[in-house]
Amino acid sequence: MNNVIYIDIKDYESAFNEFNDKYISDSLFNYITSEYSKTKNVIIKITGVKEGRQEKLYEAIRFTFKEKYKNYIKLDKFDDLYRFLLLVLGILFVTLNQIFEIYFLKEIMLVAAWVVIWETVYDFLFKGSSRKIKSKMYKSLINAIVEFE
């Protein structure tokens, strides 16, 4: 089944970002992403654009989602490193917990270890999965079929 997103452009200039016309406007971006649903094929049908201007809008749509996708991939790589370092820190705190003889220091290390390990698990399960879902959506929208009517 196809996911068809219908767009009627009333004002051609308002379809682009006001500061950089390589990007689509925030309102158009928000509309496309809100209309997106997980299907194999995405088709974006656009009306209201004259034939000579269609290529520029087509390129802006592709460029915007390509840049968003690249940013999410970079963020994901950084986040993986962050998670790994937190996990190492948590293991270090657990190890330090075993070394200290003073009860107070042992408890502080144990609590710190579990806080850091929980942060890693939370980031992996909730933040990371949300980011991966969005990056899949952007990748799908990069490959969307854009039709002008």
Side-chain angles (χ1 to χ4, degrees):
M1 181 173 207
N2 293 331
N3 176 30
V4 182
I5 300 171
Y6 295 97
I7 302 170
D8 184 22
I9 303 291
K10 305 282 187 221
D11 178 22
Y12 178 75
E13 296 303 320
S14 68
F16 297 94
N17 183 293
E18 62 183 304
F19 302 108
N20 187 346
D21 64 357
K22 286 184 177 181
Y23 296 93
I24 58 175
S25 68
D26 290 340
S27 60
L28 182 55
F29 175 84
N30 291 335
Y31 176 74
I32 292 172
T33 55
S34 69
E35 292 294 310
Y36 173 82
S37 65
K38 295 179 189 177
T39 57
K40 194 168 188 168
N41 298 320
V42 178
I43 301 171
I44 301 173
K45 292 191 177 199
I46 303 174
T47 58
V49 179
K50 294 180 183 173
E51 198 168 312
R53 297 177 159 190
Q54 293 174 352
E55 186 66 26
K56 183 178 178 184
L57 183 56
Y58 173 79
E59 291 300 323
I61 291 170
R62 291 256 190 266
F63 184 78
T64 300
F65 288 110
K66 206 175 279 186
E67 290 300 305
K68 284 282 189 183
Y69 179 71
K70 283 183 200 176
N71 288 340
Y72 268 81
I73 294 300
K74 286 179 190 174
L75 188 59
D76 221 20
K77 286 181 182 177
F78 173 76
D79 204 42
D80 289 344
L81 177 64
Y82 173 73
R83 277 189 238 139
F84 175 74
L85 292 176
L86 279 179
L87 187 60
V88 169
L89 188 62
I91 292 169
L92 177 69
F93 284 157
V94 168
T95 306
L96 288 175
N97 173 44
Q98 300 301 318
I99 294 172
F100 287 115
E101 295 294 324
I102 303 169
Y103 177 76
F104 179 71
L105 290 176
K106 284 182 78 127
E107 289 301 311
I108 288 177
M109 286 299 128
L110 187 61
V111 169
W114 284 113
V115 167
V116 170
I117 289 171
W118 173 247
E119 177 63 27
T120 304
V121 170
Y122 176 80
D123 191 55
F124 177 74
L125 291 177
F126 299 109
K127 292 180 186 175
S129 62
S130 169
R131 199 169 22 260
K132 288 189 187 311
I133 290 169
K134 281 192 176 181
S135 68
K136 284 181 183 179
M137 175 182 67
Y138 295 148
K139 188 173 183 178
S140 178
L141 288 168
I142 291 168
N143 299 319
I145 299 167
V146 180
E147 297 175 355
F148 290 92
E149 297 176 345

